[in-house]
């Protein structure tokens, strides 16, 4: 399957998998309130940490390992079997630890946590890393979308009040497990396991564990933010943060999707010695990603204060205030993701990745501990911003002699300038037009999209920039 089709399938799946909970969010916010949203967020993010332990960095290591041997059937079967056996051992221990937490440690979140157990069970059967390494993104997208649609329907049918919050967790937990199992059919006829020794399987543990350090660090300044807000402030503050972050996380799916598709492709290119071709891809990808994330970041910042009370309800108006600064984390995410998935990980320079995310996690934890007790969710926003921009800074320092960071930064500044012009235009439109509610929001969005698209088109024509256009599905050379 072509890179463009893989990007389309993966973008659709990544965004849709977050978009569906976003669809249910306005209903859930009104039915269970700020305390209920905060409590669910607290339980889910603790569960997510155990899921990360169960998968142990396989979304990076497994994809890369499979991509490197996919043209050799013997090596492919052996590598797959070894990694999966290691996964079963690690995920089994993570599941046991989760059950101990639920029954011996959990407090007010215990009921919800118990119904999230299938998320940990899914780690035993999650073979998405193998499908992605084989460039098989279609079955992941289609099958997971189907089960998540059913989960969303269940939420609207069965969740009627705060006492039904466990149903919400159960529905999404079951959808996660069902999605993993359904994707097995994508490997039918393409790959079969072979007998391997435990020692050979455990040989993958160390390189996986190295990447897991970075995965865990990322979770600290993403998932653990909400755990810390819930623990150090109030569940209501956590509810505000949860809904603000939910919008940003949905939009970040575009970034993750592009990086996920490019990782196996670039890994194979490096193996063939096509370093200059990788540089060309990286430059074009950076332009495309920066164009996209600057539009999203400045666009969200322009409409957040109007959007949040309309979408989540008036009780969540403060989520809009939080969304304004949080939107700009998309720029740091985008820059770091391109460099990580198209240069660092394909070459096996995992130490750079680990160093960057550990640095970001440490900064985030320190700022959270200092600011959340006093400022609540707003303190977590400061920590998240600092953490997300720490990653590209560390990449810059470590790769300053390998990559043209000034050129990559120039792409960022150009599109950020266009985004700022769009933001000012949207704000001016809001001030001049006597519109309110959803109509005002739709007009602002249309004006912003038109202005940004027009400015980008002028830029590309003036600079004769065909590198970005070649990456856009449907563009003909």
């Amino acid at each position: 399957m072509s890179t463009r089709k893989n990007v389309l399938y993966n973008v659709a799946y990544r965004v849709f998998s977050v978009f569906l909970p976003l669809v249910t969010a306005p209903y859930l916010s009104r039915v269970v309130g700020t305390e209920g949203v905060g409590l669910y967020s607290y339980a889910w993010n603790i569960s997510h940490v155990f899921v990360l332990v169960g998968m142990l960095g396989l979304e990076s290591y497994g994809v890369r390992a499979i991509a490197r041997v996919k043209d050799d059937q013997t090596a492919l079967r052996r590598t797959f079997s070894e990694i999966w056996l290691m996964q079963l051992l690690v995920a089994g221990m993570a599941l046991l630890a989760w059950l101990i937490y639920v029954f011996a440690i959990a407090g007010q979140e215990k009921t919800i946590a118990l119904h999230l157990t299938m998320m940990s069970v899914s780690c035993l059967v999650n073979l998405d890393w193998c499908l992605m390494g084989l460039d098989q993104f279609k079955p992941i997208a289609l099958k997971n979308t189907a089960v998540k649609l059913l989960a969303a329907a269940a939420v609207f049918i069965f969740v009627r009040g705060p006492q039904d919050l466990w149903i919400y967790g159960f529905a999404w937990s079951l959808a996660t497990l069902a999605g993993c199992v359904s994707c097995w059919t994508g490997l039918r006829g393409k790959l079969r396991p072979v007998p391997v020794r435990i020692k050979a399987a455990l040989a993958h543990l160390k390189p996986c564990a190295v990447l897991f350090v970075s995965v865990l660090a990322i979770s600290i300044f993403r998932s653990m933010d909400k755990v810390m807000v819930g623990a150090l402030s109030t569940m209501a503050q956590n509810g505000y943060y949860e809904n603000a972050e939910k919008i940003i996380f949905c939009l970040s799916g575009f970034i993750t999707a592009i990086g996920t598709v490019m990782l196996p492709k670039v890994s194979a290119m490096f193996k063939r010695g096509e370093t200059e071709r990788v540089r060309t891809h990286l430059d074009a990808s950076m332009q495309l990603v920066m164009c996209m994330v600057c539009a999203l970041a400045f666009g969200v910042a322009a409409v957040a204060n109007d959007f949040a009370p309309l979408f989540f309800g008036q009780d969540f108006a403060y989520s809009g205030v939080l969304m304004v600064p949080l939107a700009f984390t998309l720029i740091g995410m985008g820059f770091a993701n391109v460099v990580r998935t198209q240069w660092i990980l394909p070459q096996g320079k995992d130490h750079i990745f680990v160093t960057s995310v550990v640095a970001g996690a440490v900064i985030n934890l320190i700022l959270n501990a200092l600011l959340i007790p006093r400022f609540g969710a707003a303190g977590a926003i400061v920590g998240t911003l600092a953490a997300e921009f720490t990653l590209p800074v560390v990449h810059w320092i470590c790769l300053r002699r390998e990559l043209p960071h000034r050129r990559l930064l120039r792409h960022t500044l150009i599109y950020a300038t266009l985004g700022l012009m769009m933001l000012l235009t949207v704000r001016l439109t809001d001030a001049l037009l006597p519109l309110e509610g959803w109509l005002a929001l739709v007009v602002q969005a249309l004006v912003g999209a038109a202005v940004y698209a027009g400015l980008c088109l002028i830029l590309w024509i003036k600079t004769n920039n065909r590198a970005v256009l070649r990456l856009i599905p449907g563009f003909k050379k």
Side-chain angles (χ1 to χ4, degrees), residues 58-353:
L58 278 175
E59 203 171 70
S60 294
Y61 176 80
V63 173
R64 184 176 66 192
I66 294 297
R68 287 175 173 175
V69 299
K70 65 181 180 181
D71 296 325
D72 183 340
Q73 279 298 312
T74 301
L76 176 60
R77 293 191 190 103
R78 186 182 67 253
T79 301
F80 165 73
S81 301
E82 290 172 354
I83 295 177
W84 190 25
L85 178 56
M86 190 247 345
Q87 177 183 349
L88 290 173
L89 295 172
V90 174
M93 289 188 289
L95 174 59
L96 178 61
W98 168 252
L99 292 174
I100 293 173
Y101 167 79
V102 170
F103 291 105
I105 301 174
Q108 59 178 321
E109 78 281 6
K110 182 174 183 175
T111 300
I112 300 173
L114 179 62
H115 289 89
L116 292 174
T117 297
M118 281 179 291
M119 290 185 62
S120 291
V121 175
S122 70
C123 295
L124 296 166
V125 294
N126 187 340
L127 301 180
D128 288 1
W129 51 271
C130 183
L131 287 166
M132 288 187 286
L134 294 171
D135 285 332
Q136 297 294 316
F137 290 87
K138 183 177 179 179
I140 299 174
L142 297 183
K143 290 178 172 59
N144 277 283
T145 297
V147 296
K148 286 185 166 80
L149 277 170
L150 294 175
V155 170
F156 287 113
I157 294 171
F158 298 111
V159 178
R160 297 296 182 182
Q163 72 280 359
D164 299 326
L165 193 59
W166 67 269
I167 298 176
Y168 184 80
F170 180 78
W172 290 116
S173 181
L174 179 60
T176 300
L177 176 59
C180 291
V181 173
S182 66
C183 285
W184 280 33
T185 57
L187 293 173
R188 187 182 301 164
K190 299 182 179 69
L191 189 62
R192 68 175 186 271
V194 297
V196 293
R197 294 184 177 183
I198 292 181
K199 184 177 181 180
L202 294 180
H204 295 275
L205 187 59
K206 182 178 179 180
C208 253
V210 170
L211 284 176
F212 170 69
V213 172
S214 59
V215 172
L216 183 61
I218 289 175
S219 77
I220 287 174
F221 62 81
R222 290 186 185 160
S223 296
M224 290 302 290
D225 276 350
K226 285 168 275 191
V227 175
M228 293 184 74
V229 172
L232 299 178
S233 185
T234 65
M235 288 299 174
Q237 283 287 314
N238 196 37
Y240 299 135
Y241 186 87
E242 166 68 19
N243 278 351
E245 197 266 347
K246 188 174 292 182
I247 300 295
I248 306 306
F249 181 66
C250 176
L251 298 176
S252 72
F254 289 101
I255 304 169
T256 305
I258 293 174
T260 303
V261 171
M262 293 303 295
L263 176 56
K265 180 181 179 68
V266 175
S267 295
M269 289 165 62
F270 268 117
K271 187 176 181 181
R272 294 192 297 265
E274 300 171 347
T275 305
E276 288 307 311
R277 188 181 170 201
V278 172
R279 291 180 186 274
T280 302
H281 268 273
L282 189 145
D283 186 86
S285 295
M286 184 65 77
Q287 291 187 63
L288 178 63
V289 170
M290 285 301 109
C291 174
M292 179 178 61
V293 298
C294 287
L296 295 175
F298 285 93
V300 169
V303 303
N305 288 320
D306 293 333
F307 172 81
L310 287 172
F311 190 75
F312 296 114
Q314 192 60 45
D315 289 346
F316 286 88
Y318 186 58
S319 292
V321 176
L322 300 176
M323 282 167 59
V324 175
L326 194 61
F328 294 103
T329 60
L330 291 168
I331 298 176
M333 288 182 201
F335 196 102
N337 186 273
V338 172
V339 176
R340 177 173 68 249
T341 59
Q342 298 187 43
W343 194 264
I344 294 174
L345 293 180
Q347 295 187 83
K349 297 185 177 183
D350 301 341
H351 63 285
I352 297 177
F353 180 33

Side-chain angles (χ1 to χ4, degrees), residues 443-467:
V443 170
Q444 291 173 42
L446 292 175
V447 169
V451 168
Y452 191 80
L455 291 172
C456 287
L457 186 59
I458 293 171
L459 171 68
W460 295 334
I461 292 174
K462 290 290 186 182
T463 58
N464 193 29
N465 189 342
R466 297 176 64 85

